[in-house]
Amino acid sequence: MHPAPSVIIFTTLSGLGFGLLAWLGLGFPEVTGWVAFTFFVIAYALAVGGLVSSTFHLGHPERALLAFTQWRSSWLSREGVVSVAALVVMALYGAGLVFWGESWRLLGVIGAALSLGTVFCTAMIYAQMSTVPRWKTWLTPLLFLMLSISGGALLAGQIKAAMLLLPLAAAAQVLWWMRGDGAFEQSGTTLATATGLGGGKVRSFEPPHTGNNYLLREFAYQVGRKHATKLRSIAMLLGFVLPFSLLIMPFAHVLALVAVVSHLAGVAASRWLFFAEAEHVVGLYYGKR
């Protein structure tokens, strides 16, 4: 897949934003007044900013509202419905903390569940795509949720939780890469199966197009092995190793900020690879697989 900046921004920021909202909904940290207001502003800036950025990847952004109508069959539509519900519920819960110093616990738990439900729906948009074997695995929603929860713990200042969750998220990331590297071959998808012309070796007589086109730009993107290895190392170092190393040092707000920024950069690198390394079966028609 072509790693469009809007999609990378969306999946990175919204995951962290809804992760922070989930922690706030569960009462971590226990804040009220202006401190609570600050946390909610950060969470909503990330969550809403990510959701808004996703509309720039739509062919017709003006039709974005139509995505809410297909919730029975579309994970994209479910993501939209659940995300709006999460934002509304958490806004009410946040209002209680900010204006009245009241923690409406049940409302917060519901909002936390909806926030993580949004991340799950986002992951399932990709995990249900049989045309991209690398994505079609239960490890995809696990990875999205682990990154959201661990990043949310960092933003919420939950140091002990973050020190436990960051290594687990790193393990999920490594498992996802290991499984994904052989997913296309293990799927058994070939030009013969893709065309339905089984019973022998099938090859393309000539490419469908002589020049670049939408399918090549969006679905046949290729990233070099050396480049991918380097970016994976950067993602692991910035996303997990450096933040964890900073957390074991004596607490300082500057170090905490660096840990958050580092984690954000690492997750962004991971997300770029998520799309760049995706091997869509349409690439078979162009000799890209």
Side-chain angles (χ1 to χ4, degrees):
M1 292 291 209
H2 185 272
S6 60
V7 179
I8 297 171
I9 293 172
F10 157 56
T11 54
T12 301
L13 296 187
S14 64
L16 288 174
F18 282 108
L20 176 55
L21 283 175
W23 282 100
L24 291 171
L26 295 175
F28 302 102
E30 294 185 3
V31 289
T32 56
W34 285 106
V35 178
F37 179 78
T38 301
F39 274 101
F40 274 92
V41 166
I42 295 173
Y44 271 78
L46 292 170
V48 176
L51 291 173
V52 170
S53 70
S54 68
T55 62
F56 292 102
H57 193 60
L58 298 176
H60 295 277
E62 70 278 4
R63 302 177 186 173
L65 290 178
L66 295 177
F68 291 88
T69 64
Q70 307 299 318
W71 58 269
R72 290 185 179 87
S73 59
S74 168
W75 281 104
L76 177 63
S77 183
R78 291 166 187 163
E79 176 199 47
V81 172
V82 177
S83 64
V84 170
L87 293 173
V88 170
V89 171
M90 288 305 296
L92 294 174
Y93 177 72
L97 291 173
V98 173
F99 298 110
W100 297 284
E102 294 288 341
S103 177
W104 299 322
R105 185 60 62 204
L106 179 59
L107 198 63
V109 171
I110 294 173
L114 289 171
S115 296
L116 295 181
T118 300
V119 178
F120 179 78
C121 290
T122 300
M124 287 305 298
I125 293 173
Y126 307 107
Q128 53 86 35
M129 292 182 63
S130 57
T131 52
V132 184
R134 184 182 291 267
W135 291 351
K136 191 172 177 58
T137 170
W138 61 270
L139 287 172
T140 297
L142 174 65
L143 176 62
F144 273 58
L145 285 169
M146 288 304 304
L147 290 176
S148 177
I149 296 170
S150 59
L154 270 177
L155 289 169
Q158 303 305 299
I159 306 301
K160 292 183 178 179
M163 291 178 67
L164 173 63
L165 291 168
L166 282 173
L168 293 176
Q173 179 67 84
V174 172
L175 286 174
W176 192 88
W177 281 331
M178 291 175 62
R179 181 264 172 197
D181 286 343
F184 196 91
E185 292 183 3
Q186 292 175 7
S187 70
T189 303
T190 64
L191 190 57
T193 61
T195 57
L197 301 173
K201 184 176 182 180
V202 178
R203 64 181 180 86
S204 177
F205 181 72
E206 61 183 17
H209 297 86
T210 57
N212 197 15
N213 58 48
Y214 173 81
L215 291 176
L216 286 172
R217 290 193 304 271
E218 292 292 322
F219 302 118
Y221 190 88
Q222 288 183 299
V223 57
R225 185 180 298 274
K226 291 184 178 179
H227 189 48
T229 301
K230 184 184 298 184
L231 279 174
R232 288 184 182 187
S233 299
I234 292 173
M236 291 299 295
L237 177 63
L238 295 180
F240 309 105
V241 177
L242 182 56
F244 184 86
S245 301
L246 293 172
L247 291 180
I248 62 178
M249 296 181 181
F251 179 80
H253 286 92
V254 174
L255 293 180
L257 177 61
V258 174
V260 170
V261 173
S262 176
H263 180 72
L264 183 63
V267 173
S270 170
R271 283 288 185 265
W272 190 92
L273 283 170
F274 180 85
F275 294 101
E277 291 187 303
E279 299 165 307
H280 198 290
V281 296
V282 76
L284 290 166
Y285 294 98
Y286 295 89
K288 301 294 185 180
R289 300 286 176 256

Short mmCIF file of all heavy atoms in Angstrom, two decimals, residues 10-11 14 75-76 79 116-129 135-146 176 271 274:
data_model
loop_
_atom_site.label_atom_id
_atom_site.label_comp_id
_atom_site.label_asym_id
_atom_site.label_seq_id
_atom_site.Cartn_x
_atom_site.Cartn_y
_atom_site.Cartn_z
N PHE A 10 -3.51 9.68 10.92
CA PHE A 10 -4.76 9.23 11.52
C PHE A 10 -4.56 8.06 12.48
O PHE A 10 -4.97 8.12 13.64
CB PHE A 10 -5.73 8.84 10.39
CG PHE A 10 -6.80 7.88 10.82
CD1 PHE A 10 -7.65 8.18 11.88
CD2 PHE A 10 -6.97 6.68 10.15
CE1 PHE A 10 -8.64 7.29 12.27
CE2 PHE A 10 -7.95 5.79 10.54
CZ PHE A 10 -8.79 6.10 11.60
N THR A 11 -3.92 7.00 12.00
CA THR A 11 -3.77 5.81 12.84
C THR A 11 -2.84 6.04 14.02
O THR A 11 -3.00 5.41 15.07
CB THR A 11 -3.26 4.63 12.00
OG1 THR A 11 -2.05 5.00 11.32
CG2 THR A 11 -4.30 4.21 10.96
N SER A 14 -4.83 9.13 16.44
CA SER A 14 -6.10 8.69 17.02
C SER A 14 -5.89 7.55 18.00
O SER A 14 -6.56 7.48 19.04
CB SER A 14 -7.07 8.26 15.92
OG SER A 14 -6.58 7.13 15.21
N TRP A 75 -16.58 -2.07 8.79
CA TRP A 75 -15.80 -1.70 9.97
C TRP A 75 -15.45 -0.22 9.95
O TRP A 75 -15.29 0.40 11.00
CB TRP A 75 -14.53 -2.55 10.05
CG TRP A 75 -14.78 -3.92 10.58
CD1 TRP A 75 -14.82 -5.09 9.88
CD2 TRP A 75 -15.05 -4.27 11.95
NE1 TRP A 75 -15.10 -6.14 10.71
CE2 TRP A 75 -15.24 -5.67 11.99
CE3 TRP A 75 -15.15 -3.55 13.13
CZ2 TRP A 75 -15.52 -6.36 13.17
CZ3 TRP A 75 -15.43 -4.23 14.31
CH2 TRP A 75 -15.61 -5.61 14.33
N LEU A 76 -15.34 0.37 8.77
CA LEU A 76 -15.10 1.80 8.68
C LEU A 76 -16.27 2.58 9.25
O LEU A 76 -16.09 3.54 10.00
CB LEU A 76 -14.86 2.20 7.22
CG LEU A 76 -14.66 3.70 6.95
CD1 LEU A 76 -13.42 4.21 7.65
CD2 LEU A 76 -14.58 3.95 5.44
N GLU A 79 -16.34 2.16 12.97
CA GLU A 79 -15.34 3.04 13.58
C GLU A 79 -15.89 4.44 13.76
O GLU A 79 -15.72 5.07 14.82
CB GLU A 79 -14.09 3.09 12.70
CG GLU A 79 -13.02 4.05 13.20
CD GLU A 79 -12.05 4.42 12.10
OE1 GLU A 79 -12.50 4.74 10.98
OE2 GLU A 79 -10.84 4.39 12.36
N LEU A 116 -11.48 2.30 23.43
CA LEU A 116 -10.72 1.14 22.96
C LEU A 116 -11.48 0.42 21.84
O LEU A 116 -10.85 -0.17 20.95
CB LEU A 116 -10.45 0.18 24.12
CG LEU A 116 -9.54 0.73 25.22
CD1 LEU A 116 -9.32 -0.32 26.31
CD2 LEU A 116 -8.20 1.16 24.64
N GLY A 117 -12.80 0.48 21.88
CA GLY A 117 -13.59 -0.09 20.79
C GLY A 117 -13.32 0.62 19.48
O GLY A 117 -13.32 -0.02 18.41
N THR A 118 -13.08 1.93 19.53
CA THR A 118 -12.75 2.68 18.32
C THR A 118 -11.44 2.18 17.74
O THR A 118 -11.31 1.99 16.52
CB THR A 118 -12.63 4.19 18.65
OG1 THR A 118 -13.86 4.66 19.17
CG2 THR A 118 -12.27 4.98 17.40
N VAL A 119 -10.45 1.98 18.60
CA VAL A 119 -9.15 1.48 18.13
C VAL A 119 -9.31 0.09 17.52
O VAL A 119 -8.70 -0.22 16.48
CB VAL A 119 -8.14 1.44 19.30
CG1 VAL A 119 -6.80 0.86 18.83
CG2 VAL A 119 -7.94 2.84 19.87
N PHE A 120 -10.13 -0.75 18.15
CA PHE A 120 -10.37 -2.09 17.63
C PHE A 120 -11.02 -2.03 16.25
O PHE A 120 -10.63 -2.77 15.33
CB PHE A 120 -11.27 -2.87 18.59
CG PHE A 120 -11.60 -4.26 18.12
CD1 PHE A 120 -10.68 -5.29 18.24
CD2 PHE A 120 -12.84 -4.53 17.55
CE1 PHE A 120 -10.98 -6.57 17.80
CE2 PHE A 120 -13.15 -5.80 17.12
CZ PHE A 120 -12.22 -6.83 17.24
N CYS A 121 -12.01 -1.15 16.09
CA CYS A 121 -12.67 -1.01 14.79
C CYS A 121 -11.70 -0.54 13.72
O CYS A 121 -11.74 -1.02 12.58
CB CYS A 121 -13.85 -0.03 14.89
SG CYS A 121 -15.26 -0.65 15.84
N THR A 122 -10.82 0.40 14.08
CA THR A 122 -9.81 0.86 13.14
C THR A 122 -8.94 -0.30 12.68
O THR A 122 -8.65 -0.46 11.49
CB THR A 122 -8.93 1.94 13.78
OG1 THR A 122 -9.73 3.05 14.18
CG2 THR A 122 -7.87 2.43 12.80
N ALA A 123 -8.49 -1.11 13.63
CA ALA A 123 -7.64 -2.25 13.31
C ALA A 123 -8.36 -3.25 12.42
O ALA A 123 -7.78 -3.82 11.49
CB ALA A 123 -7.17 -2.93 14.59
N MET A 124 -9.66 -3.47 12.67
CA MET A 124 -10.41 -4.46 11.91
C MET A 124 -10.66 -4.02 10.47
O MET A 124 -10.93 -4.86 9.60
CB MET A 124 -11.74 -4.75 12.60
CG MET A 124 -11.61 -5.58 13.87
SD MET A 124 -10.73 -7.15 13.60
CE MET A 124 -11.82 -7.96 12.42
N ILE A 125 -10.58 -2.73 10.20
CA ILE A 125 -10.67 -2.27 8.82
C ILE A 125 -9.60 -2.95 7.98
O ILE A 125 -9.82 -3.35 6.83
CB ILE A 125 -10.50 -0.74 8.74
CG1 ILE A 125 -11.66 -0.03 9.41
CG2 ILE A 125 -10.37 -0.28 7.28
CD1 ILE A 125 -11.48 1.47 9.53
N TYR A 126 -8.42 -3.12 8.57
CA TYR A 126 -7.29 -3.75 7.88
C TYR A 126 -7.25 -5.26 8.10
O TYR A 126 -6.93 -6.02 7.18
CB TYR A 126 -5.99 -3.11 8.35
CG TYR A 126 -6.00 -1.61 8.24
CD1 TYR A 126 -6.11 -0.80 9.38
CD2 TYR A 126 -5.95 -0.98 7.01
CE1 TYR A 126 -6.16 0.58 9.28
CE2 TYR A 126 -6.00 0.40 6.89
CZ TYR A 126 -6.10 1.17 8.03
OH TYR A 126 -6.16 2.54 7.92
N ALA A 127 -7.58 -5.71 9.31
CA ALA A 127 -7.46 -7.13 9.64
C ALA A 127 -8.44 -8.01 8.87
O ALA A 127 -8.21 -9.21 8.73
CB ALA A 127 -7.66 -7.34 11.15
N GLN A 128 -9.53 -7.44 8.35
CA GLN A 128 -10.50 -8.26 7.63
C GLN A 128 -10.23 -8.30 6.12
O GLN A 128 -10.98 -8.93 5.37
CB GLN A 128 -11.91 -7.73 7.89
CG GLN A 128 -12.11 -6.24 7.61
CD GLN A 128 -12.45 -5.92 6.17
OE1 GLN A 128 -13.14 -6.67 5.51
NE2 GLN A 128 -11.97 -4.78 5.68
N MET A 129 -9.15 -7.68 5.67
CA MET A 129 -8.85 -7.62 4.24
C MET A 129 -8.06 -8.85 3.80
O MET A 129 -6.84 -8.93 4.00
CB MET A 129 -8.08 -6.34 3.90
CG MET A 129 -8.88 -5.08 4.06
SD MET A 129 -7.95 -3.59 3.60
CE MET A 129 -7.67 -3.90 1.84
N TRP A 135 -1.94 -8.24 6.70
CA TRP A 135 -2.85 -7.60 7.65
C TRP A 135 -3.87 -8.56 8.24
O TRP A 135 -4.34 -8.35 9.36
CB TRP A 135 -3.62 -6.47 6.95
CG TRP A 135 -2.78 -5.29 6.58
CD1 TRP A 135 -1.48 -5.04 6.94
CD2 TRP A 135 -3.19 -4.18 5.76
NE1 TRP A 135 -1.05 -3.86 6.39
CE2 TRP A 135 -2.07 -3.31 5.66
CE3 TRP A 135 -4.37 -3.85 5.10
CZ2 TRP A 135 -2.12 -2.12 4.94
CZ3 TRP A 135 -4.41 -2.68 4.38
CH2 TRP A 135 -3.30 -1.82 4.30
N LYS A 136 -4.23 -9.59 7.49
CA LYS A 136 -5.35 -10.46 7.89
C LYS A 136 -4.90 -11.43 8.98
O LYS A 136 -4.60 -12.60 8.73
CB LYS A 136 -5.90 -11.22 6.69
CG LYS A 136 -7.21 -11.94 6.99
CD LYS A 136 -7.82 -12.51 5.74
CE LYS A 136 -9.09 -13.30 6.06
NZ LYS A 136 -10.11 -12.47 6.74
N THR A 137 -4.88 -10.96 10.21
CA THR A 137 -4.47 -11.75 11.36
C THR A 137 -4.99 -11.11 12.63
O THR A 137 -5.18 -9.88 12.69
CB THR A 137 -2.93 -11.87 11.43
OG1 THR A 137 -2.56 -12.45 12.68
CG2 THR A 137 -2.26 -10.52 11.30
N TRP A 138 -5.22 -11.91 13.66
CA TRP A 138 -5.66 -11.39 14.95
C TRP A 138 -4.59 -10.54 15.60
O TRP A 138 -4.86 -9.75 16.51
CB TRP A 138 -6.04 -12.54 15.88
CG TRP A 138 -4.90 -13.48 16.18
CD1 TRP A 138 -4.55 -14.59 15.49
CD2 TRP A 138 -3.95 -13.37 17.25
NE1 TRP A 138 -3.44 -15.19 16.03
CE2 TRP A 138 -3.05 -14.46 17.13
CE3 TRP A 138 -3.78 -12.47 18.29
CZ2 TRP A 138 -1.99 -14.66 18.02
CZ3 TRP A 138 -2.72 -12.67 19.17
CH2 TRP A 138 -1.85 -13.76 19.03
N LEU A 139 -3.34 -10.67 15.12
CA LEU A 139 -2.26 -9.85 15.66
C LEU A 139 -2.42 -8.37 15.32
O LEU A 139 -1.88 -7.51 16.01
CB LEU A 139 -0.90 -10.34 15.13
CG LEU A 139 -0.39 -11.67 15.71
CD1 LEU A 139 0.85 -12.13 14.95
CD2 LEU A 139 -0.08 -11.52 17.19
N THR A 140 -3.16 -8.07 14.24
CA THR A 140 -3.35 -6.67 13.86
C THR A 140 -4.15 -5.90 14.90
O THR A 140 -3.69 -4.85 15.39
CB THR A 140 -4.00 -6.57 12.47
OG1 THR A 140 -3.13 -7.16 11.49
CG2 THR A 140 -4.27 -5.12 12.09
N PRO A 141 -5.35 -6.35 15.32
CA PRO A 141 -6.04 -5.62 16.39
C PRO A 141 -5.27 -5.67 17.71
O PRO A 141 -5.33 -4.70 18.48
CB PRO A 141 -7.39 -6.33 16.50
CG PRO A 141 -7.21 -7.65 15.83
CD PRO A 141 -6.20 -7.43 14.76
N LEU A 142 -4.57 -6.77 17.98
CA LEU A 142 -3.77 -6.84 19.20
C LEU A 142 -2.70 -5.76 19.19
O LEU A 142 -2.50 -5.06 20.20
CB LEU A 142 -3.13 -8.22 19.34
CG LEU A 142 -2.15 -8.38 20.52
CD1 LEU A 142 -2.88 -8.25 21.85
CD2 LEU A 142 -1.40 -9.70 20.43
N LEU A 143 -2.01 -5.61 18.07
CA LEU A 143 -0.96 -4.60 17.96
C LEU A 143 -1.52 -3.19 18.12
O LEU A 143 -0.97 -2.37 18.87
CB LEU A 143 -0.25 -4.73 16.61
CG LEU A 143 0.81 -3.68 16.29
CD1 LEU A 143 1.96 -3.75 17.31
CD2 LEU A 143 1.34 -3.85 14.88
N PHE A 144 -2.61 -2.90 17.44
CA PHE A 144 -3.21 -1.57 17.53
C PHE A 144 -3.62 -1.25 18.97
O PHE A 144 -3.39 -0.14 19.46
CB PHE A 144 -4.44 -1.49 16.61
CG PHE A 144 -4.11 -1.08 15.20
CD1 PHE A 144 -3.23 -1.80 14.42
CD2 PHE A 144 -4.71 0.04 14.64
CE1 PHE A 144 -2.93 -1.44 13.12
CE2 PHE A 144 -4.42 0.44 13.33
CZ PHE A 144 -3.53 -0.31 12.57
N LEU A 145 -4.23 -2.23 19.64
CA LEU A 145 -4.68 -2.00 21.01
C LEU A 145 -3.50 -1.84 21.96
O LEU A 145 -3.51 -0.98 22.85
CB LEU A 145 -5.57 -3.16 21.46
CG LEU A 145 -6.99 -3.17 20.88
CD1 LEU A 145 -7.67 -4.49 21.18
CD2 LEU A 145 -7.81 -2.00 21.43
N MET A 146 -2.45 -2.65 21.80
CA MET A 146 -1.29 -2.56 22.68
C MET A 146 -0.59 -1.21 22.52
O MET A 146 -0.16 -0.60 23.50
CB MET A 146 -0.32 -3.70 22.40
CG MET A 146 -0.79 -5.06 22.87
SD MET A 146 -1.19 -5.09 24.65
CE MET A 146 0.36 -4.51 25.37
N TRP A 176 4.16 -9.39 15.06
CA TRP A 176 3.42 -8.98 13.87
C TRP A 176 4.35 -8.95 12.66
O TRP A 176 3.99 -9.41 11.58
CB TRP A 176 2.78 -7.61 14.09
CG TRP A 176 1.77 -7.25 13.04
CD1 TRP A 176 0.44 -7.55 13.04
CD2 TRP A 176 2.03 -6.52 11.83
NE1 TRP A 176 -0.16 -7.05 11.90
CE2 TRP A 176 0.79 -6.42 11.15
CE3 TRP A 176 3.16 -5.96 11.27
CZ2 TRP A 176 0.67 -5.78 9.92
CZ3 TRP A 176 3.06 -5.31 10.04
CH2 TRP A 176 1.82 -5.21 9.38
N ARG A 271 3.90 2.70 11.71
CA ARG A 271 2.70 2.85 10.88
C ARG A 271 3.09 3.00 9.39
O ARG A 271 2.41 2.49 8.50
CB ARG A 271 1.90 4.06 11.33
CG ARG A 271 1.09 3.82 12.57
CD ARG A 271 -0.10 2.91 12.28
NE ARG A 271 -0.93 2.79 13.46
CZ ARG A 271 -0.86 1.84 14.36
NH1 ARG A 271 0.03 0.87 14.20
NH2 ARG A 271 -1.65 1.81 15.41
N PHE A 274 3.72 -0.29 8.20
CA PHE A 274 2.47 -1.05 8.17
C PHE A 274 1.84 -0.97 6.78
O PHE A 274 1.35 -1.98 6.24
CB PHE A 274 1.51 -0.52 9.23
CG PHE A 274 0.19 -1.23 9.29
CD1 PHE A 274 0.05 -2.39 10.04
CD2 PHE A 274 -0.93 -0.74 8.62
CE1 PHE A 274 -1.17 -3.06 10.10
CE2 PHE A 274 -2.15 -1.39 8.68
CZ PHE A 274 -2.27 -2.55 9.43
#
